[in-house]
Amino acid sequence: MAGSDEGAKADGAMLAIGELADRIGVPTHVLRYWETRFPQLRPLQRSGRRRYYRAEDVALAEHIHHLLYVQGFTVEGARKVLAGGKTTRPQADAPKVSAERAPDMTAAGGIPVEALISLRRRLAAALG
């Protein structure tokens, strides 16, 4: 059957770092940085130190992305959420974006639009 499913991986298949980066919309170096800050994110490393993300790693990376880019948490705040501590959003007025639309909404440079809106609101509040 020809179509958009050609070349797509089955659910549960491991993703290479580049595939995961494309899927959630961040550069590969961001994923490597997250591995240093979030001890729960531990992909398999094969020959040549190639990283392969299992389904649970993919879900965790998507959750980290949501906490940082959509909800506006700092890395330390996101770490606390994942550790079971703080669970409230830092900004009550953070924009609400449906999960279906979030990956499509990026500004030039690949920055999610909702992250830019949240940043603008926080800056405006800080300035008075």
Side-chain angles (χ1 to χ4, degrees), residues 56-126:
E56 56 270 15
D57 297 319
V58 171
L60 178 59
E62 289 172 340
H63 186 59
I64 291 169
H65 179 270
H66 182 77
L67 290 171
L68 297 175
Y69 290 90
V70 177
Q71 290 190 314
F73 280 96
T74 62
V75 170
E76 189 58 36
R79 287 176 61 163
K80 288 179 184 177
V81 168
L82 293 174
K86 183 176 167 186
T87 59
T88 58
R89 291 172 52 157
Q91 292 285 327
D93 64 343
K96 293 176 179 68
V97 178
S98 70
E100 297 83 36
R101 294 187 60 207
D104 303 345
M105 298 176 57
T106 56
I111 300 170
V113 171
E114 65 270 14
L116 293 173
I117 292 169
S118 177
L119 178 60
R120 182 177 61 194
R121 286 183 179 163
R122 286 186 282 166
L123 288 171

Side-chain angles (χ1 to χ4, degrees), residues 38-55:
F38 298 95
Q40 305 93 326
L41 186 60
R42 288 287 164 230
L44 296 175
Q45 288 194 1
R46 299 283 165 92
S47 63
R49 295 181 45 105
R50 290 184 180 177
R51 291 168 167 81
Y52 291 99
Y53 294 84
R54 298 165 292 231

